[in-house]
Amino acid sequence: MEKSKGFISEFKEFIMRGNVIDMAVGVIIGGAFQVIVSSLVEDIFMPVIQMFTGKSALEDLSVKIGSAQIKYGNFLSAVVNFLLMALIIFIFIKVINSFRRKPEEVEEKTTKICEYCFEEIPIQAKRCPCCTSILVKEDEKQK
């Protein structure tokens, strides 16, 4: 009986992990997106394609070569569905990431490059410790 309590507590720990819950949410949202994309393809894009092809659905497109019938419309339909799903998920993730982004903190420079020897030196330096050149401030160069 002691082992079953250990098993149940391990199972609870496994289920409550963040990545398992995130995965479950992702699967559910993915299923919802599939419905949206299917409707987008079937109700909006297919009628437009139908105007150009004269066929009632993209899946109906085929070509007969000898006794074989190649149904390239099924393949095209799968490609369109995939591309639209990827596009919608990409846009969705970009929107979510734009809400998540925090303004980047501006880092103050603490070093500069000596214009004579190209070594990195402290920003306040008036003379390069490497080549001993006297450094002119940017303000004084413009005068």
Side-chain angles (χ1 to χ4, degrees), residues 21-38 81 84-86 88-89 92-93:
I21 294 170
D22 290 344
M23 184 181 68
V25 169
V27 168
I28 292 167
I29 290 175
F33 272 125
Q34 179 60 41
V35 172
I36 291 170
V37 171
S38 294
N81 282 331
L84 288 173
M85 176 70 90
I88 290 171
I89 290 173
F92 180 73
I93 289 172

Side-chain angles (χ1 to χ4, degrees), residues 74-119:
N74 288 335
F75 175 73
L76 290 177
S77 180
V79 170
V80 168
N81 282 331
F82 170 77
L83 291 175
L84 288 173
M85 176 70 90
L87 176 67
I88 290 171
I89 290 173
F90 173 74
I91 291 169
F92 180 73
I93 289 172
K94 282 197 69 82
V95 169
I96 288 176
N97 285 341
S98 71
F99 290 127
R100 284 186 177 177
R101 287 192 189 125
K102 296 178 182 172
E104 294 179 15
E105 294 178 18
V106 178
E107 247 183 69
E108 288 189 35
K109 283 186 165 184
T110 57
T111 61
K112 63 183 176 182
I113 302 295
C114 173
E115 60 186 64
Y116 300 102
C117 68
F118 304 105
E119 290 292 323

